[in-house]
């Protein structure tokens, strides 16, 4: 039955109140977005929340749903709101299926609905203090919100069923299922996995994630970036699995360290495409461990500006371990860096590179494309801000600076 069946329009007064409340939400939706994002991500399955591309798609869909309902109530207050089945929602349906997630993932819509409804109720009490008006206002909008989410979830379920049917008819489903078994440590033998994937699991391989945080109009862009990475490491071709509509899981058996300059050169022609390299190891455990390390690298790159196009787990390993207890990591940063924590970013970056370049100001200047005197001046100022001398504390200070570099600066009060 359509949501519009038997739908009584609100009175003119209530319609005006709904339009007023919806208009204020459109003008400043960030607070509500933040509440919904936090609740949804806290309840999301680990395999979903660990992938920045799916996390971004989930958040974008939540925001789109809120704005869809609010905008509809500015135009026609209290009228039925059609389901939001935009291309963003279709992409999320594909991601849910391709990652082997079950339909309970749709519970995130109910969680978002509950948070949004509580926020709307609070807003309703600021619009009127008349009990009769408040009763009608809450009755009309509760029916509208719940019907909108019901129809959107039903439409999304239909999209998921259709996508699942299409995948089952192809080879992707078997490939993804087998890879997930290996990644989850299921009792599947190396020989059986190799036969199903047509990829030798006993070899020494390196894992990577190739992804884009923007819409990918051509999945071939990700495939070409994966090919460029494999060639740069002396491999003939990579083994790939579609992780989501915006990401590709990659493994290759190269005989050498990849030429990252060659990969960066290729990425210049693919705006928005980024590569997170995992570790290199042998066998099924190496296949699994390398992928988890690539995901850890991807999560940290996701927090960095988009101009960082490629990074390896070797670059971020210590920070990734520290970030498992982020509050503890920031306490360590504050104690180790003191006033330098909140100082000019150029001072921190200069000292970070100086430590990485084995305390050579000349090499740091070359790495930073800065004059040596500029580097020396910044280092002198950075040393003044440290709570204790740098001598004999290079390891601690270097790690603290790497944490800030990868996790982003944080206000002292956070």
């Amino acid at each position: 039955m359509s949501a519009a069946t038997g739908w009584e329009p609100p009175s003119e007064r209530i319609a005006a109140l709904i339009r007023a409340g919806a208009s204020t939400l459109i003008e400043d939706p960030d607070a509500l977005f933040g509440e919904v994002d936090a609740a949804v991500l806290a309840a999301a399955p680990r395999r979903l929340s660990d992938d920045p591309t799916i996390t971004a798609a989930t958040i974008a869909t939540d925001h789109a749903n809120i704005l869809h309902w609010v905008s509809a109530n500015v135009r026609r207050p209290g009228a039925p709101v059609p389901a939001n089945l935009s291309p963003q929602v279709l992409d999320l349906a594909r991601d849910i299926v391709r990652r082997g997630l079950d339909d309970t993932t749709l519970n995130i819509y109910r969680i978002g609905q509950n948070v949004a409804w509580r926020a709307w109720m609070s807003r309703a009490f600021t619009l009127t203090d008349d009990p009769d008006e408040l009763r009608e206002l809450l009755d009309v909008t509760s029916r509208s919100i719940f019907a909108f989410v019901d129809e959107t979830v039903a439409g999304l379920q239909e999209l998921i069923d259709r996508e699942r049917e299409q995948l089952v008819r192809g080879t992707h489903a078997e490939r993804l299922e087998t890879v997930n078994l290996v990644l989850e440590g299921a009792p599947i033998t190396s020989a059986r996995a190799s036969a199903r994937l047509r990829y030798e699991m006993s070899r020494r391989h390196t894992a990577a994630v190739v992804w884009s945080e923007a819409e990918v109009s051509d999945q071939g862009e990700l495939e070409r970036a994966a090919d460029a990475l494999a060639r740069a490491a002396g491999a003939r071709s990579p083994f790939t699995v579609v992780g989501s509509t915006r990401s590709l899981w990659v493994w290759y058996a190269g005989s050498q360290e990849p030429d990252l300059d060659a990969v960066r050169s290729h990425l210049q022609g693919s705006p928005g495409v980024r590569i997170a390299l995992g570790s290199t190891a042998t066998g099924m455990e190496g296949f699994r461990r390398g992928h988890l390390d690539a995901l850890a690298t991807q999560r940290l790159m996701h927090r960095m500006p988009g101009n960082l196009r490629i990074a390896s787990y070797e670059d971020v390993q210590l920070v990734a371990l520290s970030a498992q207890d982020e509050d503890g990591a920031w306490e360590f940063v504050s104690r180790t860096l003191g006033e330098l924590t909140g100082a000019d970013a150029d001072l921190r970056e200069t000292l970070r590179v100086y430590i990485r370049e084995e305390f050579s100001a000349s090499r740091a200047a070359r790495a930073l494309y800065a004059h040596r005197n500029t580097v020396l001046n910044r280092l002198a100022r950075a040393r003044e801000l440290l709570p204790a001398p740098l001598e004999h504390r290079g390891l601690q200070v270097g790690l603290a600076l790497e944490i800030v570099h990868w996790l982003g600066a944080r206000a002292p009060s956070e």
Side-chain angles (χ1 to χ4, degrees), residues 168-184:
V168 166
R169 291 199 297 265
T171 59
H172 175 85
E174 182 178 3
R175 175 179 285 199
L176 180 60
E177 178 187 17
T178 304
V179 166
N180 278 329
L181 288 174
V182 174
L183 296 179
E184 292 167 5

Side-chain angles (χ1 to χ4, degrees), residues 317-352:
Q317 184 173 10
L318 285 176
V319 178
L321 294 172
S322 302
Q324 292 179 15
D325 176 12
E326 195 161 326
D327 288 338
W330 281 110
E331 183 181 348
F332 168 76
V333 167
S334 181
R335 286 200 317 266
T336 304
L337 300 185
E339 293 180 32
L340 184 59
T341 305
D344 190 303
D346 285 342
L347 298 182
R348 291 195 304 272
E349 180 63 5
T350 299
L351 184 56
R352 184 185 77 88

Side-chain angles (χ1 to χ4, degrees), residues 343-397:
D344 190 303
D346 285 342
L347 298 182
R348 291 195 304 272
E349 180 63 5
T350 299
L351 184 56
R352 184 185 77 88
V353 174
Y354 172 69
I355 293 173
R356 275 209 161 202
E357 295 295 335
E358 299 178 342
F359 303 92
S360 167
S362 297
R363 287 200 297 270
R366 285 194 295 273
L368 292 165
Y369 300 100
H371 194 280
R372 187 171 182 276
N373 288 342
T374 301
V375 168
L376 291 173
N377 289 335
R378 289 177 185 170
L379 290 174
R381 177 59 181 149
R383 285 173 178 271
E384 291 174 359
L385 296 174
L386 289 172
L390 178 61
E391 285 69 27
H392 309 299
R393 299 178 67 251
L395 177 61
Q396 297 95 314
V397 173

Side-chain angles (χ1 to χ4, degrees), residues 20-171:
S23 296
T24 59
L25 269 177
I26 285 182
E27 292 170 3
D28 185 18
D30 290 346
L32 178 55
F33 285 169
E35 289 182 42
V36 171
D37 294 348
V40 166
L41 294 179
R46 181 69 183 270
R47 278 196 293 167
L48 187 152
S49 60
D50 275 355
D51 188 325
T53 58
I54 298 185
T55 298
T58 303
I59 289 174
T61 303
D62 287 337
H63 294 183
N65 284 336
I66 292 170
L67 293 177
H68 183 88
W69 184 86
V70 171
S71 299
N73 276 277
V74 170
R75 293 191 302 271
R76 298 178 61 209
V81 178
N84 176 23
L85 299 177
S86 64
Q88 280 180 319
V89 176
L90 177 58
D91 281 351
L92 183 60
R94 287 172 175 158
D95 290 347
I96 289 171
V97 173
R98 287 170 174 170
R99 293 298 300 274
L101 298 167
D102 60 33
D103 297 347
T104 59
T105 303
L106 296 181
N107 289 337
I108 62 177
Y109 275 75
R110 303 298 182 190
I111 293 167
Q113 166 193 285
N114 293 339
V115 174
W117 172 240
R118 287 197 301 270
W120 177 259
M121 281 196 296
S122 297
R123 189 168 297 264
F125 280 90
T126 69
L127 298 172
T128 179
D129 56 7
D130 181 282
D132 292 331
E133 290 183 349
L134 192 58
R135 186 180 299 110
E136 183 182 354
L137 173 61
L138 292 177
D139 178 61
V140 170
T141 52
S142 65
R143 178 177 51 174
S144 176
I145 288 175
F146 296 141
F148 163 64
V149 174
D150 285 346
E151 292 198 6
T152 298
V153 169
L156 181 55
Q157 180 67 66
E158 186 177 336
L159 292 174
I160 288 173
D161 291 343
R162 189 185 312 154
E163 184 71 15
R164 188 171 283 138
E165 183 181 350
Q166 291 174 354
L167 287 178
V168 166
R169 291 199 297 265
T171 59

Side-chain angles (χ1 to χ4, degrees), residues 157-314:
Q157 180 67 66
E158 186 177 336
L159 292 174
I160 288 173
D161 291 343
R162 189 185 312 154
E163 184 71 15
R164 188 171 283 138
E165 183 181 350
Q166 291 174 354
L167 287 178
V168 166
R169 291 199 297 265
T171 59
H172 175 85
E174 182 178 3
R175 175 179 285 199
L176 180 60
E177 178 187 17
T178 304
V179 166
N180 278 329
L181 288 174
V182 174
L183 296 179
E184 292 167 5
I188 181 173
T189 66
S190 176
R192 177 61 175 158
S194 299
R196 292 183 67 177
L197 296 175
R198 297 181 183 177
Y199 174 80
E200 182 52 59
M201 298 296 294
S202 63
R203 68 181 71 185
R204 182 175 174 81
H205 23 227
T206 302
V209 176
V210 180
W211 87 102
S212 173
E213 290 169 1
E215 295 289 343
V216 179
S217 58
D218 177 12
Q219 190 79 17
E221 280 192 64
L222 303 183
E223 294 279 1
R224 287 189 289 274
D227 288 340
L229 175 63
R231 288 196 306 271
R236 285 189 301 175
S237 62
F239 171 74
T240 63
V241 173
V242 176
S244 72
T245 55
R246 300 181 185 184
S247 69
L248 201 64
W249 297 347
V250 180
W251 290 263
Y252 62 85
S255 57
Q256 61 196 42
E257 290 292 319
D259 180 351
L260 296 187
D261 287 337
V263 180
R264 290 189 186 95
S265 178
H266 171 85
L267 292 178
Q268 288 179 358
S270 301
V273 176
R274 307 173 77 180
I275 298 177
L277 281 168
S279 52
T280 300
T282 303
M284 287 178 63
E285 179 56 26
F287 183 94
R288 186 184 75 85
R289 182 72 259 167
H291 178 69
L292 295 178
D293 291 344
L295 288 179
T297 306
Q298 183 194 24
R299 286 194 293 274
L300 290 176
M301 289 180 69
H302 184 68
R303 302 176 67 156
M304 295 281 288
N307 57 356
L308 179 64
R309 306 296 300 280
I310 185 169
S312 70
Y313 186 65
E314 184 178 334

